């Protein structure tokens, strides 16, 4: 279970960081898989910054908790 939390935490940290950079306008990526009317994010977006920051914070927290539990063994 701790390994799964660590992996999910790392993925969340990297994905959240990517979304934050995309929302700040630092990273520009074309949509890869679209189900509706998709358009690339061309400008800064506060929604992406907030979402990315929250996901990144949750990912870091999951990694820290996972590593703390490993150290207690």
């Amino acid at each position: 279970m701790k390994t799964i939390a660590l992996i999910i935490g790392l993925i969340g940290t990297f994905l959240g960081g990517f979304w934050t950079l995309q929302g700040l306008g630092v990273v520009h990526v074309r949509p890869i898989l679209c189900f509706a009317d998709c358009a690339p994010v061309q400008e800064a977006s506060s929604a992406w910054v907030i979402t990315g920051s929250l996901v990144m914070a949750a990912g870091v927290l999951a990694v820290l908790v996972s590593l703390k539990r490993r150290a207690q063994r």
Side-chain angles (χ1 to χ4, degrees):
M1 189 66 167
K2 293 170 230 158
T3 304
I4 293 171
L6 178 64
I7 291 169
I8 290 173
L10 288 172
I11 291 170
T13 301
F14 290 121
L15 190 58
F18 175 73
W19 286 345
T20 301
L21 291 174
Q22 188 174 6
L24 293 171
V26 176
V27 176
H28 301 283
V29 178
R30 291 186 0 237
I32 297 170
L33 180 63
C34 290
F35 294 104
D37 190 19
C38 293
V41 177
Q42 298 291 331
E43 56 194 37
S45 170
S46 60
W48 280 111
V49 172
I50 293 168
T51 303
S53 298
L54 292 174
V55 170
M56 188 169 51
V60 168
L61 183 63
V63 168
L64 292 176
V65 168
S66 164
L67 293 177
K68 183 177 180 182
R69 288 187 180 172
R70 282 179 184 254
Q72 289 177 351
R73 284 184 127 198

